[in-house]
Coordinates of all heavy atoms in Angstrom, one line a residue:
M1 N 14.6 6.6 -4.7 CA 14.3 5.7 -5.7 C 14.7 6.4 -7.1 O 14.5 7.6 -7.3 CB 12.8 5.4 -5.7 CG 12.5 3.9 -5.7 SD 10.8 3.5 -5.4 CE 10.8 3.3 -3.6
A2 N 15.2 5.6 -8.0 CA 15.7 6.1 -9.3 C 14.5 6.4 -10.2 O 13.4 6.4 -9.8 CB 16.6 5.1 -9.9
E3 N 14.8 6.8 -11.4 CA 13.8 7.1 -12.4 C 12.9 5.9 -12.7 O 13.4 4.8 -12.8 CB 14.6 7.5 -13.7 CG 13.8 8.3 -14.7 CD 14.5 8.5 -16.0 OE1 15.8 8.4 -16.0 OE2 13.9 8.8 -17.0
H4 N 11.7 6.3 -12.9 CA 10.7 5.2 -13.2 C 10.2 5.3 -14.6 O 9.7 6.3 -15.0 CB 9.5 5.3 -12.2 CG 9.9 4.9 -10.8 ND1 9.6 3.7 -10.3 CD2 10.5 5.6 -9.8 CE1 10.1 3.6 -9.0 NE2 10.6 4.8 -8.8
K5 N 10.3 4.2 -15.3 CA 9.7 4.1 -16.7 C 8.6 3.0 -16.7 O 8.8 2.0 -16.0 CB 10.9 3.7 -17.6 CG 11.9 4.8 -17.9 CD 11.4 5.7 -19.0 CE 12.5 6.8 -19.2 NZ 11.9 8.0 -19.7
C6 N 7.6 3.3 -17.4 CA 6.5 2.3 -17.6 C 7.0 1.0 -18.2 O 7.6 1.1 -19.3 CB 5.4 2.9 -18.3 SG 4.0 1.8 -18.6
S7 N 6.7 -0.1 -17.6 CA 7.1 -1.4 -18.3 C 6.3 -1.8 -19.4 O 6.6 -2.7 -20.2 CB 7.1 -2.5 -17.2 OG 5.9 -2.7 -16.6
E8 N 5.1 -1.1 -19.6 CA 4.2 -1.4 -20.7 C 4.5 -0.6 -21.9 O 4.5 -1.1 -23.0 CB 2.7 -1.2 -20.2 CG 2.3 -2.0 -19.0 CD 2.3 -3.4 -19.3 OE1 1.6 -3.9 -20.2 OE2 3.0 -4.2 -18.5
C9 N 4.7 0.7 -21.7 CA 4.8 1.6 -22.9 C 6.1 2.4 -22.8 O 6.4 3.2 -23.8 CB 3.6 2.5 -23.1 SG 3.6 3.8 -21.9
G10 N 6.9 2.3 -21.7 CA 8.1 3.1 -21.6 C 7.9 4.6 -21.3 O 8.8 5.4 -21.3
G11 N 6.7 5.0 -20.9 CA 6.3 6.3 -20.6 C 6.8 6.8 -19.2 O 7.3 5.9 -18.4
E12 N 6.7 8.0 -18.9 CA 7.1 8.6 -17.6 C 6.1 8.1 -16.6 O 4.9 8.0 -16.8 CB 7.1 10.1 -17.7 CG 8.2 10.7 -18.6 CD 9.6 10.5 -18.0 OE1 9.8 10.7 -16.8 OE2 10.5 10.1 -18.8
M13 N 6.6 7.9 -15.4 CA 5.8 7.5 -14.3 C 5.8 8.6 -13.2 O 6.8 9.1 -12.9 CB 6.1 6.1 -13.7 CG 6.0 5.1 -14.8 SD 5.9 3.4 -14.1 CE 4.2 3.2 -13.9
E14 N 4.6 8.9 -12.6 CA 4.6 9.8 -11.5 C 4.2 9.1 -10.2 O 3.4 8.2 -10.2 CB 3.5 10.9 -11.8 CG 2.2 10.5 -12.1 CD 1.2 11.6 -12.5 OE1 1.7 12.7 -12.7 OE2 0.0 11.3 -12.7
E15 N 4.8 9.7 -9.1 CA 4.6 9.0 -7.8 C 3.2 9.3 -7.2 O 2.6 10.4 -7.5 CB 5.6 9.6 -6.8 CG 5.6 8.9 -5.5 CD 6.7 9.4 -4.5 OE1 7.5 10.2 -5.0 OE2 6.7 9.0 -3.4
G16 N 2.7 8.4 -6.5 CA 1.4 8.5 -5.9 C 1.1 7.4 -4.8 O 2.1 6.7 -4.5
F17 N -0.1 7.3 -4.4 CA -0.4 6.2 -3.5 C -1.9 5.9 -3.7 O -2.7 6.7 -4.2 CB -0.1 6.6 -2.1 CG -0.9 7.8 -1.5 CD1 -2.1 7.6 -0.9 CD2 -0.3 9.0 -1.7 CE1 -2.8 8.7 -0.4 CE2 -1.0 10.1 -1.2 CZ -2.3 10.0 -0.6
I18 N -2.3 4.7 -3.3 CA -3.7 4.2 -3.3 C -4.4 4.7 -2.1 O -3.9 4.3 -1.0 CB -3.8 2.7 -3.5 CG1 -3.0 2.2 -4.8 CG2 -5.3 2.3 -3.6 CD1 -3.6 2.7 -6.1
L19 N -5.4 5.5 -2.2 CA -6.1 6.0 -1.0 C -7.1 4.9 -0.6 O -7.9 4.4 -1.4 CB -6.8 7.3 -1.4 CG -7.5 8.0 -0.2 CD1 -6.5 8.5 0.8 CD2 -8.3 9.2 -0.8
D20 N -7.1 4.7 0.7 CA -8.0 3.7 1.3 C -9.1 4.5 2.0 O -8.9 5.1 3.1 CB -7.3 2.8 2.3 CG -8.1 1.8 2.9 OD1 -9.3 1.8 2.7 OD2 -7.6 0.9 3.6
R21 N -10.3 4.6 1.4 CA -11.4 5.4 2.0 C -12.4 4.5 2.6 O -13.1 3.7 1.9 CB -12.1 6.2 0.9 CG -11.3 7.4 0.4 CD -12.1 8.1 -0.7 NE -12.0 7.3 -2.0 CZ -12.3 7.8 -3.1 NH1 -12.8 9.0 -3.3 NH2 -12.2 7.0 -4.2
S22 N -12.5 4.5 3.9 CA -13.5 3.7 4.6 C -13.9 4.4 5.9 O -13.1 5.0 6.6 CB -12.9 2.3 4.9 OG -11.8 2.4 5.8
Y23 N -15.2 4.3 6.2 CA -15.8 4.9 7.4 C -15.3 6.3 7.7 O -15.0 6.6 8.8 CB -15.5 3.9 8.6 CG -16.0 2.6 8.4 CD1 -15.2 1.5 8.1 CD2 -17.4 2.3 8.6 CE1 -15.7 0.2 7.9 CE2 -17.9 1.1 8.4 CZ -17.1 0.0 8.0 OH -17.6 -1.2 7.8
G24 N -15.3 7.1 6.7 CA -15.0 8.5 6.9 C -13.5 8.8 7.1 O -13.2 10.0 7.3
T25 N -12.6 7.9 7.1 CA -11.2 8.2 7.2 C -10.5 8.0 5.9 O -11.0 7.4 5.0 CB -10.5 7.2 8.2 OG1 -10.7 5.9 7.8 CG2 -11.1 7.4 9.6
R26 N -9.3 8.6 5.8 CA -8.5 8.5 4.6 C -7.2 8.0 5.0 O -6.5 8.6 5.8 CB -8.3 9.9 3.9 CG -9.7 10.4 3.4 CD -9.4 11.7 2.6 NE -10.7 12.3 2.2 CZ -11.0 13.5 2.3 NH1 -10.1 14.4 2.9 NH2 -12.2 14.0 1.9
L27 N -6.8 6.9 4.4 CA -5.5 6.2 4.8 C -4.8 5.8 3.5 O -5.4 5.6 2.5 CB -5.8 4.9 5.6 CG -6.6 5.1 6.9 CD1 -7.1 3.8 7.4 CD2 -5.7 5.7 8.0
V28 N -3.5 5.6 3.7 CA -2.7 5.1 2.6 C -2.8 3.5 2.7 O -2.7 3.0 3.8 CB -1.2 5.5 2.7 CG1 -0.4 4.9 1.6 CG2 -1.1 7.0 2.6
S29 N -2.9 2.8 1.6 CA -3.0 1.4 1.6 C -1.7 0.8 2.1 O -0.6 1.4 1.9 CB -3.2 0.8 0.3 OG -4.6 1.0 -0.1
S30 N -1.7 -0.3 2.8 CA -0.6 -1.0 3.3 C -0.4 -2.4 2.8 O -1.4 -3.0 2.4 CB -0.6 -1.1 4.9 OG -0.6 0.1 5.5
W31 N 0.8 -2.8 2.6 CA 1.0 -4.2 2.3 C 1.2 -5.0 3.6 O 1.9 -4.5 4.5 CB 2.3 -4.3 1.4 CG 2.7 -5.7 1.1 CD1 2.3 -6.4 0.0 CD2 3.6 -6.6 1.7 NE1 2.8 -7.6 0.0 CE2 3.7 -7.8 1.1 CE3 4.4 -6.4 2.9 CZ2 4.5 -8.8 1.5 CZ3 5.2 -7.5 3.3 CH2 5.2 -8.7 2.6
V32 N 0.5 -6.1 3.7 CA 0.6 -6.9 5.0 C 1.2 -8.2 4.6 O 0.7 -8.9 3.7 CB -0.8 -7.0 5.6 CG1 -0.7 -7.8 6.9 CG2 -1.5 -5.7 5.8
K33 N 2.2 -8.6 5.4 CA 2.8 -9.9 5.2 C 1.9 -11.1 5.6 O 1.2 -11.0 6.6 CB 4.1 -10.0 6.0 CG 5.0 -11.2 5.7 CD 6.3 -11.0 6.5 CE 7.2 -12.2 6.2 NZ 8.5 -12.1 6.9
G34 N 1.8 -12.1 4.8 CA 1.0 -13.3 5.1 C -0.3 -13.3 4.4 O -0.6 -12.4 3.6
S35 N -1.1 -14.3 4.7 CA -2.4 -14.3 4.0 C -3.5 -13.7 4.9 O -3.4 -13.7 6.1 CB -2.8 -15.8 3.7 OG -2.7 -16.6 4.9
P36 N -4.6 -13.2 4.3 CA -5.6 -12.5 5.1 C -6.4 -13.5 6.0 O -6.7 -14.6 5.5 CB -6.6 -11.9 4.0 CG -6.3 -12.6 2.8 CD -4.9 -13.1 2.8
E37 N -6.6 -13.1 7.2 CA -7.3 -13.9 8.2 C -8.6 -13.2 8.5 O -8.6 -12.1 9.1 CB -6.5 -14.2 9.4 CG -5.3 -15.0 9.2 CD -4.3 -14.9 10.4 OE1 -4.7 -14.6 11.5 OE2 -3.1 -15.1 10.1
P38 N -9.8 -13.9 8.2 CA -11.1 -13.2 8.5 C -11.2 -13.0 10.0 O -10.8 -13.8 10.8 CB -12.1 -14.2 8.0 CG -11.4 -15.1 7.1 CD -9.9 -15.2 7.6
S39 N -11.8 -11.8 10.4 CA -12.1 -11.5 11.8 C -13.6 -11.2 11.8 O -14.1 -10.4 11.0 CB -11.3 -10.4 12.2 OG -11.9 -9.7 13.4
F40 N -14.3 -11.7 12.8 CA -15.7 -11.5 12.9 C -16.0 -10.0 13.1 O -16.9 -9.4 12.5 CB -16.3 -12.3 14.1 CG -17.8 -12.1 14.2 CD1 -18.7 -12.8 13.4 CD2 -18.3 -11.3 15.2 CE1 -20.0 -12.6 13.5 CE2 -19.7 -11.2 15.3 CZ -20.5 -11.8 14.5
W41 N -15.2 -9.3 13.9 CA -15.5 -7.9 14.3 C -14.9 -6.9 13.3 O -15.5 -5.8 13.1 CB -15.0 -7.6 15.7 CG -15.6 -8.5 16.7 CD1 -15.0 -9.5 17.4 CD2 -16.9 -8.4 17.2 NE1 -15.9 -10.1 18.3 CE2 -17.1 -9.4 18.2 CE3 -18.0 -7.6 17.0 CZ2 -18.3 -9.6 18.9 CZ3 -19.2 -7.8 17.6 CH2 -19.3 -8.8 18.6
L42 N -13.7 -7.2 12.8 CA -13.0 -6.2 12.0 C -12.9 -6.5 10.5 O -12.3 -5.7 9.8 CB -11.6 -6.1 12.6 CG -11.5 -5.7 14.1 CD1 -10.1 -6.0 14.6 CD2 -11.9 -4.3 14.3
G43 N -13.5 -7.5 10.0 CA -13.4 -7.8 8.6 C -12.2 -8.7 8.4 O -12.3 -9.9 8.0
L44 N -11.0 -8.2 8.7 CA -9.8 -9.0 8.6 C -9.0 -8.7 9.8 O -8.9 -7.6 10.3 CB -9.0 -8.5 7.4 CG -9.4 -8.9 6.0 CD1 -8.5 -8.3 4.9 CD2 -9.4 -10.5 5.8
S45 N -8.4 -9.8 10.3 CA -7.5 -9.7 11.5 C -6.1 -9.4 11.0 O -5.6 -10.1 10.2 CB -7.5 -11.0 12.3 OG -6.6 -10.9 13.3
V46 N -5.5 -8.3 11.5 CA -4.1 -8.0 11.1 C -3.2 -7.9 12.3 O -2.1 -7.4 12.2 CB -4.1 -6.7 10.3 CG1 -4.8 -6.8 9.0 CG2 -4.7 -5.5 11.1
K47 N -3.7 -8.3 13.5 CA -2.9 -8.2 14.7 C -1.6 -8.9 14.6 O -1.5 -10.1 14.2 CB -3.7 -8.8 15.9 CG -3.3 -8.4 17.2 CD -4.2 -8.9 18.3 CE -3.6 -8.4 19.7 NZ -4.3 -9.0 20.8
G48 N -0.5 -8.2 15.0 CA 0.8 -8.8 15.0 C 1.5 -9.0 13.6 O 2.5 -9.5 13.5
K49 N 0.8 -8.5 12.5 CA 1.3 -8.7 11.2 C 2.3 -7.5 10.9 O 2.2 -6.5 11.5 CB 0.2 -8.7 10.2 CG -0.7 -10.0 10.3 CD -1.2 -10.5 9.0 CE -2.1 -11.6 9.1 NZ -1.6 -12.9 8.9
E50 N 3.1 -7.8 9.9 CA 4.1 -6.8 9.4 C 3.4 -5.9 8.3 O 2.9 -6.4 7.4 CB 5.3 -7.6 8.8 CG 6.4 -6.7 8.3 CD 7.5 -7.6 7.7 OE1 8.0 -8.5 8.4 OE2 7.8 -7.3 6.5
F51 N 3.5 -4.6 8.6 CA 2.9 -3.6 7.6 C 3.9 -2.8 6.9 O 4.9 -2.4 7.5 CB 2.0 -2.6 8.4 CG 0.7 -3.1 8.8 CD1 0.5 -4.1 9.7 CD2 -0.4 -2.5 8.2 CE1 -0.8 -4.5 10.0 CE2 -1.7 -2.9 8.5 CZ -1.9 -3.9 9.4
R52 N 3.7 -2.5 5.7 CA 4.6 -1.6 4.9 C 3.7 -0.7 4.1 O 2.7 -1.2 3.5 CB 5.5 -2.4 4.0 CG 6.6 -3.1 4.7 CD 7.3 -4.1 3.7 NE 8.0 -5.1 4.5 CZ 9.3 -5.0 4.8 NH1 10.0 -3.9 4.5 NH2 9.9 -5.9 5.5
T53 N 4.0 0.6 4.1 CA 3.2 1.5 3.3 C 3.4 1.2 1.8 O 4.6 0.9 1.4 CB 3.7 3.0 3.6 OG1 3.4 3.2 5.0 CG2 2.9 4.0 2.8
V54 N 2.4 1.3 1.0 CA 2.5 1.0 -0.4 C 2.6 2.4 -1.2 O 1.8 3.3 -1.0 CB 1.3 0.2 -0.9 CG1 1.3 0.1 -2.4 CG2 1.3 -1.1 -0.3
Q55 N 3.6 2.4 -2.0 CA 3.8 3.6 -2.9 C 3.5 3.1 -4.3 O 4.0 2.0 -4.7 CB 5.3 3.9 -2.8 CG 5.7 5.3 -3.3 CD 7.2 5.5 -3.1 OE1 8.0 4.7 -3.6 NE2 7.5 6.5 -2.4
T56 N 2.7 3.9 -5.0 CA 2.3 3.4 -6.4 C 2.6 4.5 -7.4 O 2.3 5.7 -7.2 CB 0.7 3.2 -6.3 OG1 0.4 2.2 -5.4 CG2 0.2 2.7 -7.7
W57 N 3.2 4.0 -8.4 CA 3.6 4.9 -9.5 C 2.6 4.7 -10.7 O 2.2 3.6 -11.0 CB 5.0 4.6 -10.0 CG 6.0 5.0 -8.9 CD1 6.2 4.3 -7.7 CD2 6.9 6.1 -8.9 NE1 7.2 4.9 -7.0 CE2 7.6 6.0 -7.7 CE3 7.2 7.2 -9.8 CZ2 8.6 7.0 -7.4 CZ3 8.1 8.1 -9.4 CH2 8.8 8.0 -8.2
R58 N 2.2 5.8 -11.3 CA 1.3 5.8 -12.4 C 1.9 6.3 -13.7 O 2.5 7.4 -13.7 CB 0.0 6.7 -12.1 CG -1.1 6.6 -13.1 CD -2.1 7.6 -12.8 NE -1.7 8.9 -13.3 CZ -2.0 9.4 -14.6 NH1 -2.7 8.6 -15.4 NH2 -1.6 10.6 -15.0
C59 N 1.7 5.5 -14.8 CA 2.2 6.0 -16.1 C 1.3 7.1 -16.6 O 0.1 6.9 -16.7 CB 2.2 4.8 -17.1 SG 2.7 5.3 -18.8
V60 N 2.0 8.2 -17.0 CA 1.2 9.4 -17.5 C 0.6 9.1 -18.9 O -0.3 9.8 -19.3 CB 2.0 10.7 -17.5 CG1 2.3 11.1 -16.0 CG2 3.2 10.6 -18.3
Q61 N 1.2 8.1 -19.6 CA 0.7 7.9 -21.0 C -0.4 6.8 -21.0 O -1.4 7.0 -21.7 CB 1.9 7.4 -21.8 CG 2.9 8.5 -22.2 CD 3.9 8.0 -23.2 OE1 3.5 7.5 -24.3 NE2 5.2 8.1 -22.9
C62 N -0.2 5.7 -20.4 CA -1.2 4.6 -20.5 C -1.9 4.3 -19.2 O -2.9 3.5 -19.2 CB -0.5 3.3 -21.1 SG 0.5 2.5 -19.9
G63 N -1.5 4.9 -18.1 CA -2.2 4.7 -16.8 C -1.8 3.4 -16.1 O -2.4 3.1 -15.0
F64 N -0.8 2.7 -16.6 CA -0.4 1.5 -15.9 C 0.1 1.9 -14.4 O 0.8 2.9 -14.3 CB 0.8 0.9 -16.7 CG 1.3 -0.4 -16.1 CD1 0.6 -1.5 -16.1 CD2 2.6 -0.3 -15.5 CE1 1.2 -2.7 -15.5 CE2 3.1 -1.5 -14.9 CZ 2.4 -2.7 -14.9
L65 N -0.3 1.0 -13.5 CA 0.1 1.3 -12.1 C 1.2 0.3 -11.7 O 1.1 -0.9 -11.9 CB -1.1 1.2 -11.2 CG -2.2 2.2 -11.3 CD1 -3.3 1.9 -10.4 CD2 -1.7 3.6 -11.1
K66 N 2.2 0.7 -10.9 CA 3.3 -0.1 -10.5 C 3.4 0.2 -9.0 O 3.6 1.4 -8.6 CB 4.5 0.2 -11.2 CG 5.7 -0.7 -11.0 CD 6.6 -0.6 -12.2 CE 8.0 -0.2 -11.8 NZ 8.9 -0.1 -12.9
S67 N 3.3 -0.8 -8.1 CA 3.3 -0.5 -6.7 C 4.6 -1.1 -6.0 O 5.1 -2.2 -6.4 CB 2.1 -1.2 -6.0 OG 0.9 -0.6 -6.5
Y68 N 5.1 -0.4 -5.0 CA 6.2 -0.8 -4.2 C 5.8 -0.8 -2.7 O 5.2 0.2 -2.3 CB 7.4 0.1 -4.3 CG 8.0 0.1 -5.7 CD1 7.6 1.0 -6.7 CD2 9.1 -0.7 -6.0 CE1 8.2 1.0 -7.9 CE2 9.7 -0.6 -7.2 CZ 9.2 0.2 -8.2 OH 9.8 0.2 -9.4
A69 N 6.1 -1.9 -2.0 CA 6.0 -1.8 -0.5 C 7.3 -1.3 0.0 O 8.3 -1.8 -0.3 CB 5.7 -3.2 0.0
V70 N 7.2 -0.1 0.6 CA 8.5 0.5 1.1 C 9.3 -0.4 2.0 O 8.8 -1.3 2.6 CB 8.2 1.9 1.8 CG1 7.5 2.9 0.9 CG2 7.4 1.6 3.1
T71 N 10.6 -0.2 2.0 CA 11.5 -1.0 2.7 C 11.4 -0.9 4.2 O 11.6 -1.9 5.0 CB 13.0 -0.8 2.3 OG1 13.2 0.6 2.3 CG2 13.3 -1.3 0.9
E72 N 11.0 0.3 4.8 CA 10.8 0.4 6.2 C 9.5 -0.2 6.6 O 8.4 0.0 6.0 CB 10.8 1.9 6.6 CG 12.0 2.7 6.1 CD 11.7 3.4 4.8 OE1 10.7 4.1 4.7 OE2 12.4 3.1 3.9
V73 N 9.5 -1.0 7.7 CA 8.3 -1.6 8.3 C 7.7 -0.5 9.1 O 8.3 0.2 9.8 CB 8.7 -2.8 9.1 CG1 7.4 -3.3 9.8 CG2 9.3 -3.9 8.3
D74 N 6.4 -0.4 9.0 CA 5.7 0.6 9.9 C 5.9 0.3 11.3 O 6.0 -0.8 11.7 CB 4.1 0.6 9.5 CG 3.8 1.2 8.2 OD1 4.7 1.7 7.5 OD2 2.6 1.2 7.8
P75 N 5.9 1.4 12.2 CA 6.1 1.1 13.6 C 5.1 0.2 14.2 O 3.9 0.3 13.9 CB 6.1 2.5 14.2 CG 5.6 3.5 13.2 CD 5.8 2.8 11.8
P76 N 5.5 -0.6 15.2 CA 4.6 -1.6 15.8 C 3.3 -1.0 16.4 O 2.3 -1.6 16.5 CB 5.4 -2.2 16.9 CG 6.8 -2.0 16.5 CD 6.8 -0.7 15.7
S77 N 3.4 0.3 16.8 CA 2.2 1.0 17.4 C 1.1 1.1 16.4 O -0.1 1.2 16.7 CB 2.6 2.4 17.8 OG 3.1 3.2 16.7
N78 N 1.4 1.0 15.1 CA 0.3 1.0 14.1 C -0.2 -0.4 13.7 O -1.2 -0.5 13.0 CB 0.9 1.6 12.7 CG 1.3 3.1 12.9 OD1 0.9 3.7 13.9 ND2 1.9 3.6 11.9
W79 N 0.4 -1.4 14.3 CA 0.0 -2.7 13.9 C -1.3 -3.2 14.4 O -2.0 -4.0 13.8 CB 1.1 -3.7 14.2 CG 2.4 -3.5 13.4 CD1 2.7 -2.5 12.6 CD2 3.5 -4.4 13.4 NE1 3.9 -2.6 12.1 CE2 4.5 -3.8 12.6 CE3 3.8 -5.6 14.1 CZ2 5.7 -4.4 12.3 CZ3 5.1 -6.1 13.8 CH2 6.0 -5.6 13.0
E80 N -1.5 -2.9 15.7 CA -2.7 -3.5 16.4 C -3.9 -2.5 16.3 O -3.9 -1.5 16.9 CB -2.3 -3.8 17.8 CG -1.3 -4.8 17.9 CD -1.1 -5.3 19.3 OE1 -2.1 -5.3 20.1 OE2 0.0 -5.8 19.7
Y81 N -4.9 -3.0 15.6 CA -6.2 -2.3 15.6 C -7.3 -3.2 15.0 O -6.9 -4.3 14.6 CB -6.2 -1.0 14.9 CG -5.7 -1.0 13.5 CD1 -6.5 -1.2 12.4 CD2 -4.3 -0.7 13.2 CE1 -6.1 -1.2 11.1 CE2 -3.9 -0.7 11.9 CZ -4.7 -1.0 10.8 OH -4.2 -1.0 9.6
Ligands
ZN101 ZN1 2.6 3.2 -19.9

């Protein structure tokens, strides 16, 4: 990925990711294709959906966040849970 400039103030942006902290685990947030479907057992049903890891850039000057869903789709083994 090329150089990142803040669209709000033109400042430098640094790479990072949004940490998903739940039930004692630490995960990187994912972008999921489609609309959220409620699941009685799991909160949201994501079975068979397309996942992409989310990369988030932060402006060092104003804190603006810019997120990208990476181009590679996560392997199908990660999809069902
Ligand atoms: Zn900025």
